[in-house]
């Protein structure tokens, strides 16, 4: 089975696509990168904004055309949009053979291989699959927060924490196969709880894995960020000094309408605490502009917060009404033109701040973990999560910490020399 896999959406989807790939390869299937080489095209979808769904539809449109001339190719749609729309996708695209929603993702590999009667084959004994240096591990599924704009609780279901023993075993086996950095994933990782193990305790357990060098995690909800977690970030050297802490808005009126359950003051306090405990911490965030009822004043509050907090990175989204969510019943009263303007204003400000921040990194020495080496260039990452490139081709650097003196800095990448 030659398979093509295309992934839209968040790290959770990326992670699930990777899991599929590793099961397929254990059964001897090969990943290909063009439709003409594929026996099956798999599309892993996202529903978080209308745009993400449009992207999937236009991809399916292209595949439909291809299938008219190549009727043997199988088409599989998985993930969040498959969950949300189910058989409606098939009605619109009869070229689709199989739909597997996000809640059934655990069965996806076998169901796809069944299309080729492959799951009857014996699994190859392939314990020596070499791992990438950086890997993702899902520690919880679903979300119970019901932020009023968000479709995730509907497409991913109730929040369930994975047994910590399973998580630690999975991480250990990845590390045995070469992984050196693990990102613990969940929609709201800091509310992790399995029996009496909370998120900070889970990190402690993962940190005991020998040869694991770095731990990252995402995403965090400001309402659940505990002092315990801040403490472990400050004291456990394997935990990277980066936190993604979505602010969404700085207007209390909008935060309330979003059902975020924290005030802007609380958010600011968290940032203060984090920066006091971990001086080198890099803080990134998500912002939504044009939520129903967002006035110029509300927006200015958010812009002001962006200016004062000086995030190391941010993602800004134009509010997109999602069916079934509470906010979809509110009047989407900010015109698209205005959403675009607010989006552009935040981006411009964020860019200015990024340039300021990265220019301060020039001349410094950064400890980086080498993730890839290709054509004489090393690709690595700082503890804060910035990409670093340097000349070097020694295979032995792979998965190691090295020091790089930064010579040049752009918003999304740093360049330097290995010391
Ligand atoms: N669980 C994570 C991420 C959820 S989706 C969290 O709570 O942070 C990632 C981001 O998409 C959100 O943080 C939010 O900024 C944005 N988003 C979610 N729903 C949206 C919508 N309907 N319109 C615009 N942006 C949205
Ligand atoms: Fe969506 Fe809120 Fe859950 Fe994040 S915490 S996934 S924004 S409902
Ligand atoms: Fe992720 Fe999109 Fe689903 S953000 S959880 S892939 S709706």
């Amino acid at each position: 089975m030659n398979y093509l896999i295309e992934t839209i959406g968040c790290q959770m989807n990326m992670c699930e696509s990777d899991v599929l790939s590793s099961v397929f390869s254990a059964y001897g299937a090969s990943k290909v990168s063009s439709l003409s080489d594929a026996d099956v095209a798999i599309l892993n979808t996202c529903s978080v904004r209308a745009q993400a769904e449009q992207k999937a539809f236009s991809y399916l449109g292209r595949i439909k055309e291809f299938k008219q001339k190549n009727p043997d190719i199988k088409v599989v749609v998985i993930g969040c949009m498959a969950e949300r729309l189910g058989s409606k996708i098939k009605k619109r695209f009869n070229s689709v053979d199989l739909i597997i929603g996000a809640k059934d993702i655990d069965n996806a590999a076998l169901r796809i291989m069944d299309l080729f009667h492959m799951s009857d084959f014996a699994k190859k004994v392939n314990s020596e699959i070499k791992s990438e240096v950086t890997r993702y591990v899902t520690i919880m599924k679903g979300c119970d927060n019901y932020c009023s704009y968000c479709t995730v609780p509907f497409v991913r279901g109730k929040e369930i924490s994975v047994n910590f023993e399973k998580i630690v075993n999975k991480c250990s086996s990845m590390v045995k196969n070469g992984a050196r950095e693990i990102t613990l994933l969940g929609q709201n990782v800091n509310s992790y709880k399995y029996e009496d193990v909370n998120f900070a305790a889970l990190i402690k357990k993962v940190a005991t894995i020998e040869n694991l060098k770095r731990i990252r995690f995402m995403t965090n909800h400001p309402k659940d960020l505990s002092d315990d977690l801040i403490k472990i970030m400050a004291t456990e050297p394997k935990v990277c000094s980066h936190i993604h802490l979505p602010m969404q808005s700085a207007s209390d009126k909008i935060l309330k309408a979003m059902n975020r359950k924290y005030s802007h003051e609380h958010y600011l306090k968290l940032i203060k605490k984090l920066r006091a405990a971990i001086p080198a911490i890099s803080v990134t965030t998500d912002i939504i502009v044009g939520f129903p009822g967002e006035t110029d004043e509300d927006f200015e509050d958010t812009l002001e917060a962006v200016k004062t907090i000086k995030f190391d990175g941010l993602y800004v989204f134009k509010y997109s009404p999602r069916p079934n969510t509470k906010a979809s019943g509110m009047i989407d009263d900010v015109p698209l033109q205005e959403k675009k303007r607010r989006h552009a204003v935040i981006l411009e400000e964020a860019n200015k701040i990024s340039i300021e921040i990265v220019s301060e990194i020039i001349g410094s020495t950064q400890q980086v973990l080498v993730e890839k080496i290709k054509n004489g260039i090393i690709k690595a990452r700082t503890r804060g999560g910035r990409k670093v490139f340097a000349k070097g081709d020694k295979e032995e650097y792979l998965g190691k910490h090295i020091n790089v003196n930064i010579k040049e800095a752009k918003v999304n990448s740093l360049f330097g020399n290995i010391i």
Side-chain angles (χ1 to χ4, degrees):
M1 178 180 94
N2 286 341
Y3 67 98
L4 177 73
I5 188 161
E6 195 73 38
T7 307
I8 304 171
C10 65
Q11 264 90 359
M12 197 74 82
N13 267 13
M14 311 280 173
C15 177
E16 284 162 357
S17 290
D18 282 351
V19 170
L20 281 185
S21 294
S22 60
V23 176
F24 292 158
S25 77
Y27 280 84
S30 310
K31 195 182 210 156
V32 296
S33 53
S34 89
L35 274 177
S36 46
D37 295 331
D39 302 314
V40 55
I42 303 160
L43 179 62
N44 196 355
T45 57
C46 171
S47 282
V48 79
R49 284 169 290 277
Q51 218 180 9
E53 294 194 340
Q54 275 147 19
K55 202 168 159 187
F57 283 132
S58 69
Y59 185 81
L60 288 174
R62 268 178 282 144
I63 295 189
K64 186 180 173 177
E65 270 176 34
F66 180 85
K67 194 165 173 168
Q68 276 158 1
K69 293 186 201 108
N70 307 271
D72 290 343
I73 192 169
K74 301 275 189 224
V75 180
V76 181
V77 183
I78 63 172
C80 295
M81 192 179 88
E83 182 68 47
R84 195 177 87 73
L85 296 175
S87 54
K88 283 188 195 140
I89 299 174
K90 231 176 180 159
K91 279 202 188 112
R92 192 162 153 189
F93 292 95
N94 57 13
S95 47
V96 172
D97 297 279
L98 181 62
I99 295 173
I100 307 168
K103 290 175 191 163
D104 292 328
I105 200 79
D106 292 345
N107 303 318
L110 288 180
R111 287 181 62 195
I112 294 169
M113 291 192 301
D114 267 346
L115 293 173
F116 299 88
H117 308 289
M118 261 184 76
S119 50
D120 306 337
F121 294 177
K123 198 172 159 182
K124 279 204 272 185
V125 190
N126 208 349
S127 56
E128 279 305 299
I129 306 170
K130 207 169 164 316
S131 172
E132 301 275 322
V133 172
T134 56
R135 296 294 297 271
Y136 291 96
V137 171
T138 302
I139 64 162
M140 64 192 329
K141 298 176 176 182
C143 180
D144 290 340
N145 286 317
Y146 290 93
C147 300
S148 65
Y149 50 81
C150 185
T151 193
V152 171
F154 300 93
V155 292
R156 290 270 170 177
K158 261 187 82 59
E159 184 180 296
I160 300 169
S161 294
V162 179
N163 183 336
F164 57 87
E165 279 172 356
K166 278 196 184 154
I167 296 170
V168 173
N169 288 341
K170 193 181 236 175
C171 295
S172 298
S173 86
M174 285 177 173
V175 172
K176 275 200 193 94
N177 292 327
R180 292 294 174 263
E181 173 183 300
I182 286 175
T183 304
L184 304 173
L185 277 186
Q187 294 300 343
N188 186 10
V189 282
N190 43 2
S191 72
Y192 176 90
K193 184 113 178 107
Y194 190 94
E195 290 168 354
D196 56 350
V197 175
N198 66 12
F199 186 52
L202 176 72
I203 291 187
K204 262 189 210 161
K205 289 183 189 291
V206 174
T208 60
I209 298 172
E210 212 184 324
N211 292 328
L212 177 63
K213 295 205 157 78
R214 286 182 169 184
I215 300 171
R216 298 185 187 278
F217 52 87
M218 70 186 310
T219 295
N220 301 273
H221 196 303
K223 78 178 166 57
D224 298 316
L225 185 71
S226 68
D227 289 345
D228 264 8
L229 179 61
I230 298 179
K231 196 170 154 206
I232 191 117
M233 288 187 78
T235 53
E236 171 50 60
K238 289 186 183 178
V239 180
C240 284
S241 45
H242 170 222
I243 192 157
H244 186 67
L245 195 62
M247 176 173 86
Q248 310 301 3
S249 168
S251 150
D252 284 342
K253 179 190 94 190
I254 296 296
L255 286 171
K256 191 154 195 286
M258 286 177 165
N259 192 31
R260 290 289 287 177
K261 302 193 177 93
Y262 55 86
S263 64
H264 184 55
E265 198 189 326
H266 175 76
Y267 188 87
L268 286 176
K269 263 193 205 149
L270 289 178
I271 300 281
K272 245 193 185 156
K273 265 200 221 171
L274 283 161
R275 286 182 169 158
I278 311 132
I281 196 166
S282 137
V283 183
T284 56
T285 203
D286 291 344
I287 288 169
I288 297 176
V289 293
F291 186 82
E294 188 186 67
T295 60
D296 262 336
E297 250 179 20
D298 297 319
F299 171 70
E300 289 299 322
D301 286 349
T302 303
L303 180 61
E304 200 48 44
V306 167
K307 287 182 184 167
T308 50
I309 296 171
K310 293 190 190 293
F311 293 104
D312 293 84
L314 67 76
Y315 297 93
V316 53
F317 305 106
K318 298 182 278 289
Y319 169 68
S320 164
R322 305 313 294 142
N324 301 322
T325 59
K326 184 136 183 261
S328 68
M330 304 173 187
I331 301 165
D332 184 14
D333 56 357
V334 181
L336 182 60
Q337 242 359 71
E338 181 58 16
K339 283 181 187 163
K340 285 186 178 162
R341 186 192 73 83
R342 292 179 188 177
H343 184 264
V345 170
I346 296 275
L347 265 190
E348 196 191 322
E349 191 57 43
N351 240 330
K352 259 195 247 164
I353 293 166
S354 285
I355 291 168
E356 259 175 56
I357 293 175
V358 294
S359 63
E360 282 170 23
I361 305 178
I362 297 177
S364 71
T365 296
Q366 301 281 330
Q367 186 199 52
V368 302
L369 181 71
V370 179
E371 297 176 2
K372 284 203 169 88
I373 305 175
K374 208 176 159 187
N375 303 331
I377 301 289
I378 279 176
K379 186 192 157 244
R381 221 173 264 270
T382 64
R383 298 185 65 79
R386 289 191 185 277
K387 277 187 213 146
V388 176
F389 297 91
K391 273 193 191 146
D393 52 14
K394 286 196 198 131
E395 274 302 316
E396 75 217 49
Y397 286 150
L398 196 66
K400 299 253 162 67
H401 273 140
I402 58 172
N403 289 318
V404 172
N405 188 252
I406 305 300
K407 292 287 180 213
E408 199 192 332
K410 292 193 182 149
V411 170
N412 290 316
S413 44
L414 308 172
F415 305 85
N417 299 329
I418 297 171
I419 303 182

